Amino acid sequence: MAVAQSKIDLFAPFERDTILEVRASKMKKMRGLEVMSGIDKTIIGGPVYVGRTGLEGDESDPTFHGGVDKAVHGYCSSHYPTWATEHPSAAAAFVPGGFGENLVTAHMNERNVCIGDTMIIGSPSALTSNPESCLLLQVSLPRQPCFKLNHRFQLKKFAPLTWKHSRTGWYYRVLRPGFVQAGDEIHLVSRPHPQWTIERIQEYLHRNQDDEAMNAELATIEELGAESRDAFKARVARSAAKKKRAEKLARWREFRVVERRQETSRIVSFILEAIDPIVPPPGDEKSILLKPGTHARVKLGNGLVRAYSIVGPSDSSSINRFQLGIALEPQSRGGSAFFHSHVFEGHVLSVSTTFTNALLPNTAGGISHHIYVAGGVGITAFLTSLEQFQSIHVSCELHYAVRSSEDIPFRDRLSKLNPGTVQIYDKTKGERLNIEEIIKEIPWNTMIYVCGPKSLMLDAAEQGKKYTVPEGEVHFEAFEADVSGDPFEVVVANRNDKTVQVGGEETLLEVLQREFGDEEVEGSCCVGNCGTCKVNLKGGRVEHRGTALTAEEKGEAMLACVSRGVGRIVIEI
């Protein structure tokens, strides 16, 4: 029973409202996915008991939902007509219950509901004659939607729109258990933080994350649930730690190899541990952890600098300790050959203080399903992502091509992945990874990740174009890149029009770092994956290489580590 938004002033103060519907559900599989969810809630007729952890009979995935801070979800039904107008293809789904809310109201919304608001719910007679028996709730958190909303409404990238427009809904904790039913009234009892509406909290939670003063203030609000309050606390701690580290850290730190293990005949893993570990701020131990998809730049004894995917440990990789997996390449330019021939336990290596991550923009919570395609040592780019996703019940699968069953690194960790989600193709058994079959059958709202030999990458790119997979829904992680080509001239406009020459066997990044220093022009992966070396293109024609830029970005930027100018170009660094 939705109320037309034209009849509701969403900015009008809230003191009381009516519970239009009460909803609950059991966990069910989402359509087209092997993912369980409690989002599909149905109307409950009559009174239902609400305990400390929510409505009786209501279920949710405990990974991100439920618990005392997320006991009850409320949503404003007046948002649905607006959503339906903005997204006509899903209009039929934008009805009360669409967001998986427990309590449906029409006037209460993110603009007039504040963190810490205490609400009492009951029939008019109970609220008057026996309020001590009525349900008492407190607003605890703004909702932070994930990919399940995208999937429910079949709208890609819908979830971020909910906080951009401040139409997420909010959670309650239960201060006093009781009963609720449709038709009950909900009254505001107290408001300790009138300045902190749900909408304003979302401003600093999502849209303006770098305001140190607001982060510090929000970190002190006791009524704010742990999910958001801890996020603000972590930002405060990170900001302080970042300033302190910036004062004393060099650009390179020394790490000792504490373990070398032969994974296969051609792949060796190395665990590196910082000689002088960085201690995280008290209460923010997670600030030093590295996210899946992170690269480490390592300075080798032969003068080379190479970037490698960090492959683990999956739950504890940090800026103080991490693992690499390196295959000996037949035509190695010195990186893998150096590791295999010269790096053993006890060896000390210099590692950049800057860690980069090419996966982060693509692994946001808006994707319904993730497909990883890897060949050989390419598994190192994705293994930690797979482990993390499966640990939090995100839908994903792996297609992995190997030379033989003996050429599978990190076998013990692969064996712990859900069996139904891993397909291994053994070349010695005549098994072939058919990238076309994978791409042409991809489910809706799927992200594809590819890492492996050049032939695999080229095939995936070709099939992606053939089946019109959107550019932003395929991520390529290259091992190597062709960086040579014709010489070209570069004018650096914001350095007094300094002109430099790039030879046929050197990269623009190498020339810029030699001329201006690597602090002025940073690089990381050096194969066009991560985008760290992106420079602004002000004029001239470029032969673009690498995968870190979108088609739109290529009109105004280039990757200095792999792309090459044609003739004469003008850039800014």
Side-chain angles (χ1 to χ4, degrees):
M1 175 172 53
V3 178
Q5 183 168 338
S6 60
K7 298 179 182 178
I8 299 291
D9 179 2
L10 296 178
F11 290 91
F14 154 75
E15 290 186 359
R16 64 177 60 192
D17 206 343
T18 301
I19 305 295
L20 302 177
E21 296 176 359
V22 178
R23 291 173 168 266
S25 68
K26 298 292 185 183
M27 293 283 284
K28 307 171 188 175
K29 277 188 180 180
M30 297 194 76
R31 181 180 57 178
L33 297 176
E34 293 296 315
V35 173
M36 302 292 286
S37 173
I39 197 171
D40 190 19
K41 301 191 186 301
T42 55
I43 293 176
I44 297 176
V48 60
Y49 181 73
V50 183
R52 297 289 182 184
T53 56
L55 279 69
E56 190 171 63
D58 192 37
E59 294 181 349
S60 59
D61 182 349
T63 308
F64 294 114
H65 303 281
V68 294
D69 283 345
K70 297 181 179 181
V72 180
H73 178 219
Y75 197 74
C76 177
S77 63
S78 298
H79 292 328
Y80 286 118
T82 305
W83 286 126
T85 300
E86 293 170 348
H87 303 280
S89 66
F94 285 117
V95 294
F99 271 57
E101 65 266 28
N102 299 115
L103 303 182
V104 181
T105 54
H107 178 51
M108 299 169 62
N109 72 93
E110 296 79 1
R111 294 145 194 80
N112 58 24
V113 169
C114 300
I115 281 296
D117 282 1
T118 298
M119 319 282 193
I120 190 169
I121 299 177
S123 66
S125 60
L127 290 172
T128 302
S129 63
N130 192 17
E132 294 80 8
S133 68
C134 294
L135 176 64
L136 197 66
L137 304 179
Q138 184 179 64
V139 177
S140 53
L141 284 166
R143 183 181 175 182
Q144 298 192 62
C146 64
F147 78 92
K148 293 178 183 178
L149 276 187
N150 298 356
H151 204 78
R152 183 165 174 79
F153 297 119
Q154 293 291 285
L155 294 171
K156 295 179 180 180
K157 301 179 181 178
F158 175 72
L161 296 179
T162 64
W163 56 258
K164 288 178 182 178
H165 297 306
S166 291
R167 301 181 210 148
T168 57
W170 57 93
Y171 286 108
Y172 300 98
R173 64 172 60 91
V174 179
L175 298 183
R176 183 172 62 216
F179 288 86
V180 65
Q181 63 180 325
D184 280 351
E185 292 184 0
I186 179 168
H187 292 192
L188 177 63
V189 175
S190 64
R191 172 164 287 171
H193 304 288
Q195 76 277 29
W196 284 114
T197 62
I198 296 295
E199 180 180 46
R200 188 166 180 237
I201 285 179
Q202 288 168 334
E203 171 68 23
Y204 298 104
L205 189 62
H206 296 290
R207 298 186 285 266
N208 183 8
Q209 299 184 359
D210 298 324
D211 191 310
E212 294 184 6
M214 293 299 99
N215 286 337
E217 183 175 341
L218 286 160
T220 66
I221 297 178
E222 294 183 2
E223 293 87 350
L224 184 60
E227 178 182 77
S228 293
R229 190 180 179 199
D230 287 351
F232 290 118
K233 285 181 177 179
R235 288 180 194 170
V236 172
R238 279 196 298 270
S239 178
K242 185 177 181 181
K243 291 176 182 177
K244 189 175 292 186
R245 286 201 300 267
E247 294 173 356
K248 70 178 202 176
L249 276 185
R251 293 182 58 79
W252 298 88
R253 299 168 60 210
E254 290 191 333
F255 281 69
R256 179 173 285 107
V257 177
V258 296
E259 180 182 300
R260 171 181 167 134
R261 188 172 79 174
Q262 196 76 38
E263 299 285 343
T264 74
S265 61
R266 67 186 193 94
I267 300 174
V268 177
S269 66
F270 301 85
I271 293 181
L272 278 64
E273 198 169 85
I275 292 175
D276 184 14
I278 294 172
V279 180
D284 191 29
E285 287 74 16
K286 292 183 180 180
S287 65
I288 63 170
L289 297 181
L290 298 172
K291 292 183 175 154
T294 297
H295 299 114
R297 292 179 69 216
V298 183
K299 189 181 291 185
L300 308 181
N302 53 11
L304 296 175
V305 175
R306 291 288 182 265
Y308 297 99
S309 295
I310 290 176
V311 72
S314 59
D315 59 349
S316 60
S317 296
S318 76
I319 60 177
N320 293 326
R321 180 184 169 92
F322 55 82
Q323 184 178 34
L324 306 176
I326 300 173
L328 180 59
E329 301 299 334
Q331 298 178 333
S332 171
R333 292 187 296 159
S336 67
F338 179 83
F339 262 98
H340 278 251
S341 301
H342 297 89
V343 178
F344 296 89
E345 291 179 7
H347 195 100
V348 175
L349 295 166
S350 294
V351 178
S352 173
T353 58
T354 301
F355 293 88
T356 57
N357 193 311
L359 286 183
L360 285 178
N362 300 318
T363 55
I367 302 299
S368 299
H369 185 63
H370 304 259
I371 295 178
Y372 294 88
V373 180
V377 77
I379 191 63
T380 60
F382 304 142
L383 184 53
T384 53
S385 297
L386 281 157
E387 291 172 326
Q388 183 191 60
F389 277 162
Q390 292 204 354
S391 72
I392 58 175
H393 310 138
V394 172
S395 182
C396 58
E397 61 185 91
L398 168 66
H399 296 267
Y400 185 29
V402 296
R403 300 181 182 187
S404 69
S405 59
E406 286 74 38
D407 199 42
I408 301 177
F410 309 104
R411 188 185 300 269
D412 54 335
R413 289 166 61 185
L414 282 167
S415 67
K416 294 176 183 176
L417 296 176
N418 297 341
T421 63
V422 177
Q423 177 67 53
I424 294 179
Y425 305 83
D426 185 339
K427 186 176 180 180
T428 62
K429 297 179 180 178
E431 298 168 349
R432 177 176 175 271
L433 191 159
N434 189 326
I435 192 70
E436 180 176 12
E437 291 298 315
I438 295 170
I439 290 179
K440 76 177 184 180
E441 299 293 338
I442 57 172
W444 179 86
N445 196 29
T446 292
M447 185 77 197
I448 304 172
Y449 311 82
V450 187
C451 184
K454 191 173 182 179
S455 58
L456 175 65
M457 307 279 276
L458 291 173
D459 191 15
E462 181 180 334
Q463 298 305 326
K465 290 179 182 177
K466 178 178 178 180
Y467 291 98
T468 63
V469 178
E471 183 180 35
E473 295 178 15
V474 183
H475 170 80
F476 294 96
E477 187 101 357
F479 289 142
E480 55 186 350
D482 179 10
V483 297
S484 61
D486 293 334
F488 60 101
E489 184 176 82
V490 181
V491 177
V492 187
N494 62 336
R495 293 296 185 273
N496 298 319
D497 288 334
K498 175 74 176 181
T499 300
V500 296
Q501 307 294 326
V502 181
E505 295 300 321
E506 60 185 354
T507 68
L508 174 57
L509 177 63
E510 291 169 339
V511 173
L512 292 175
Q513 289 183 333
R514 186 169 65 234
E515 186 70 32
F516 302 106
D518 58 4
E519 292 186 10
E520 287 288 311
V521 189
E522 291 189 343
S524 182
C525 72
C526 296
V527 290
N529 290 333
C530 69
T532 303
C533 66
K534 181 173 73 172
V535 296
N536 296 324
L537 178 64
K538 309 305 290 185
R541 190 157 61 92
V542 169
E543 179 188 335
H544 287 286
R545 303 176 185 178
T547 60
L549 298 183
T550 65
E552 183 178 354
E553 289 175 318
K554 289 176 181 177
E556 55 190 29
M558 66 182 289
L559 300 174
C561 71
V562 289
S563 298
R564 302 190 67 81
V566 178
R568 184 175 188 267
I569 63 172
V570 180
I571 67 168
E572 287 183 348
I573 60 176

